[in-house]
Amino acid sequence: MNDNLKAIIVIGVIIIFVLLLNYYNTSKDNDNEYTVNLDDNKINVCGEEIYITNYTYNDEILIDDLIRELEYICQKN
């Protein structure tokens, strides 16, 4: 009987682990719902071509740097 109890506990722990892993993956997918994949294409801004990927770091857009660059380019032209 002792071996059966151990087996039930081990199976229960495995089931709980699988459920928690599934919950983690589901919540992570929901967090990434608003992500955008950026292509390494040129865009034309006020007569100059820039790469939006030059203003990214660790898959995040450095929005302040991008805005400063856009303002600089448009004021210069």
Side-chain angles (χ1 to χ4, degrees), residues 9-55:
I9 291 173
V10 168
I11 291 173
V13 168
I14 291 172
I15 290 172
I16 290 172
F17 177 76
V18 169
L19 291 174
L20 288 174
L21 185 62
N22 185 37
Y23 175 75
Y24 172 76
N25 286 335
T26 303
S27 66
K28 188 172 181 176
D29 288 342
N30 290 341
D31 289 343
N32 291 333
E33 184 176 327
Y34 299 105
T35 60
V36 176
N37 291 330
L38 297 174
D39 295 329
D40 195 21
N41 297 332
K42 288 187 259 184
I43 58 172
N44 192 349
V45 177
C46 295
E48 287 192 28
E49 292 181 342
I50 65 168
Y51 291 96
I52 206 80
T53 52
N54 290 346
Y55 305 95

